[in-house]
């Protein structure tokens, strides 16, 4: 996966200057705006910032972080062929903001090859945000091999019947929407409302072959909220395509200190590193939480077969090397007296048990999907010398490249 290319800087700076906002070359002033935006996003009582208040930071910094999140959230759909690389892919971006999540999808599809155009409908209650998003799209015209055609509709996304006049889409996106809804309401109320909202979008706005993709910040409270919403959706009959490899209750919710999120090796573009440093923010890696829902029952786990003795497991931590062993937290089905039990388990491989068949354990990364044969025992999760460990890893979608809009 790659950060935005250098020519994106010219596009974003031009849009900023046209509105009298600070550009990337003014590191100190932009960093001050970015620090203020970060404080707003991290405040549970706010969790949002309109373009009129934080446009410079959202355009000059957050956009570059959010594009790769959109790409990464659909990478498994693209790589498995569940989201076909077709001449035209239709996208509904709910709470589109500056359009970053859509741009991420476009980059993932282009990297896979063969797409002629993405036709996107952008919905957001912030009309100024959509105006800026449209300016970015115009600024990218003629700068790639793929077309992005956009229709922007300013309206409240949660209003009753707000989306009923729209058709169904191949892909419906909700990037950092749930965090900004019903702020201050009790958690059980928020979970119920958000699960019903996603279920409605999935039912009414997604094509039978389509997907609903939700992207949220990797903060513990917001990730755990997404886990609870996921469980409510599963209980109502929805199908989770990814990241989960099972349909059981989320094991991360068993302890208050646990949550599941991605942490990918996608750094900031080089021109924003000084800004991040000045704002006191992370500039390496990309963190987010995501959920992909389907209508046709297909799942990531069902896209690859394993022997009856094996199991599919998601790596939900980084590798934990200690004296004499390497451990990692895995989520999926483990063995208990011949029965498969879904759990989140700290699993080890002793150094003395390293072998050619389990060598994939040497390069574990958060987010990898493993097949392990035989399935580790729940009471003592361990990778033995004779165990076979195959790392499917992250699908081979580079998420680089560029597009054009028209």
């Amino acid at each position: 996966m790659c950060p935005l290319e250098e020519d994106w800087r010219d596009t974003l700076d031009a849009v900023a200057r046209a509105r009298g906002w600070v550009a990337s070359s003014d590191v100190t002033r932009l960093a001050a705006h970015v620090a203020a935006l970060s404080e707003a996003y991290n405040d549970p009582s706010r969790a949002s910032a309109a373009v009129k208040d934080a446009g410079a930071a959202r355009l000059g910094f957050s956009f570059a972080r959010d594009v790769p999140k959109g790409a990464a959230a659909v990478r498994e759909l693209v790589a498995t062929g569940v989201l076909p690389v077709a001449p035209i892919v239709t996208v509904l971006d709910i709470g589109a903001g500056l359009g970053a999540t859509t741009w991420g999808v476009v980059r993932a599809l282009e990297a896979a090859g063969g797409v002629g155009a993405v036709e996107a409908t952008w919905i957001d209650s912030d009309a100024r945000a959509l105006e800026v998003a449209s300016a970015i799209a115009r600024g990218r015209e003629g700068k790639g091999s793929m077309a992005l055609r956009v229709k922007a509709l300013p309206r409240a996304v949660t209003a009753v019947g707000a989306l009923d006049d729209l058709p169904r889409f191949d892909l419906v996106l909700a990037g950092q929407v749930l965090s900004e809804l019903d702020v201050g309401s009790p958690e059980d109320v928020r979970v119920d409302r958000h699960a019903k909202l996603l279920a409605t979008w999935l039912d009414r706005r997604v094509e039978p072959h389509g997907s609903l993709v939700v992207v949220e910040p990797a903060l513990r409270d917001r990730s755990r909220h997404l886990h609870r919403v996921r469980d409510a959706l599963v209980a109502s009959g929805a199908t989770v395509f990814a990241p989960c490899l099972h349909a059981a209750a989320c094991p991360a919710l068993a302890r208050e200190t646990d949550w599941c999120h991605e942490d990918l090796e996608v750094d900031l573009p080089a021109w924003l590193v000084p800004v991040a440093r000045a704002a006191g923010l992370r500039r390496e890696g990309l963190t987010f939480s995501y959920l992909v829902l389907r209508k046709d029952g297909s799942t990531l786990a069902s896209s690859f077969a394993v022997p009856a003795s094996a199991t599919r497991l998601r790596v939900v931590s980084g590798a934990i090397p200690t004296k004499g062993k390497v451990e990692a937290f895995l989520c999926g089905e483990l063995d208990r007296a011949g029965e498969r039990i879904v759990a989140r388990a700290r699993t080890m491989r002793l150094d003395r048990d390293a072998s050619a068949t389990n060598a994939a354990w040497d390069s574990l990364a958060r987010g990898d999907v493993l097949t392990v044969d035989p399935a580790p025992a729940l009471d003592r999760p361990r990778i033995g010398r004779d165990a076979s460990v195959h790392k499917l890893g992250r699908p081979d979608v580079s998420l680089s490249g560029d597009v054009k809009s028209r």
Side-chain angles (χ1 to χ4, degrees):
M1 295 183 199
C2 301
L4 292 184
E5 295 79 15
E6 180 69 25
D7 71 331
W8 272 91
R9 180 180 189 177
D10 297 334
T11 300
L12 301 178
D13 280 351
V15 173
R17 292 191 181 102
R19 286 151 185 78
W21 295 342
V22 61
S24 63
S25 57
D26 193 338
V27 171
T28 300
R29 290 178 60 207
L30 181 55
H33 287 286
V34 170
L37 178 62
S38 177
E39 182 179 352
Y41 279 151
N42 289 326
D43 183 350
S45 68
R46 297 160 69 189
S48 65
V51 161
K52 69 180 180 64
D53 301 317
R58 286 180 60 181
L59 174 67
F61 190 84
S62 297
F63 182 89
R65 298 303 281 147
D66 292 341
V67 171
K69 293 177 185 177
V74 300
R75 70 196 187 278
E76 291 152 336
L77 285 171
V78 175
T80 57
V82 175
L83 178 61
V85 179
I88 297 177
V89 174
T90 59
V91 173
L92 173 63
D93 194 336
I94 300 173
L98 304 188
T101 307
T102 294
W103 281 106
V105 170
V106 169
R107 287 163 68 85
L109 287 169
E110 187 184 48
V115 175
V118 168
E119 294 184 345
T121 299
W122 287 344
I123 305 289
D124 202 291
S125 59
D126 188 343
R128 291 187 66 181
L130 292 179
E131 185 274 323
V132 175
S134 298
I136 295 171
R138 290 192 298 271
R140 300 307 295 173
E141 290 179 357
K143 295 185 178 179
S145 60
M146 183 175 160
L148 171 62
R149 298 192 284 263
V150 175
K151 177 168 66 175
L153 301 176
R155 60 176 74 172
V157 300
T158 58
V160 175
L163 307 180
D164 286 352
D165 60 325
L166 299 177
R168 297 180 187 271
F169 296 81
D170 299 319
L171 196 62
V172 174
L173 310 174
Q176 302 188 90
V177 171
L178 300 186
S179 294
E180 301 183 10
L181 299 181
D182 304 304
V183 174
S185 296
E187 174 65 2
D188 59 340
V189 172
R190 294 186 76 231
V191 168
D192 181 65
R193 288 178 179 171
H194 297 175
K196 289 178 178 176
L197 188 63
L198 294 181
T200 299
W201 292 343
L202 182 65
D203 178 54
R204 299 181 183 178
R205 299 280 70 84
V206 178
E207 290 277 16
H209 62 268
S211 304
L212 170 60
V213 178
V214 183
V215 181
E216 285 290 298
L219 298 171
R220 183 178 70 174
D221 62 329
R222 293 169 202 181
S223 295
R224 288 177 64 82
H225 175 71
L226 185 59
H227 301 341
R228 295 186 183 100
V229 171
R230 176 254 184 214
D231 281 1
L233 285 163
V234 170
S236 69
T239 298
V240 175
F241 178 83
C244 310
L245 302 174
H246 59 82
C250 177
L253 292 174
R255 297 194 313 169
E256 284 296 325
T257 55
D258 290 341
W259 75 101
C260 185
H261 68 280
E262 292 288 293
D263 191 348
L264 306 180
E265 294 181 354
V266 182
D267 298 338
L268 276 171
W271 77 83
L272 287 180
V273 170
V275 177
R277 186 180 294 114
L281 299 177
R282 175 176 175 167
R283 57 188 181 274
E284 298 175 338
L286 180 73
T287 61
F288 65 98
S289 296
Y290 75 110
L291 180 65
V292 181
L293 303 172
R294 294 283 298 177
K295 299 182 72 169
D296 61 4
S298 62
T299 67
L300 177 61
S302 65
S303 67
F304 59 97
V306 298
S309 57
T311 188
R312 308 173 184 90
L313 298 166
R314 172 82 74 170
V315 181
V316 293
S317 74
I320 309 169
T322 55
K323 185 177 181 179
K325 62 182 182 296
V326 176
E327 298 174 288
F329 281 92
L330 307 181
C331 183
E333 294 184 345
L334 303 180
D335 182 79
R336 186 175 67 185
E339 181 182 4
R340 293 298 172 86
I341 305 295
V342 171
R344 174 188 174 99
R346 184 163 179 156
T347 305
M348 77 166 70
R349 190 204 63 185
L350 298 176
D351 291 349
R352 67 170 183 263
D353 287 336
S355 67
T357 59
N358 63 38
W361 196 260
D362 296 323
S363 57
L364 293 181
R366 185 191 295 267
D368 285 338
V369 176
L370 306 178
T371 60
V372 181
D373 192 3
L378 179 62
D379 61 346
R380 192 185 180 193
R382 179 172 170 178
I383 304 298
R385 171 175 287 276
D386 297 329
S388 173
V389 179
H390 176 63
K391 184 171 70 170
L392 300 182
R394 301 177 182 87
D396 186 18
V397 176
S398 70
L399 310 182
S400 62
D402 211 335
V403 299
K404 65 181 179 181
S405 61
R406 64 172 180 249

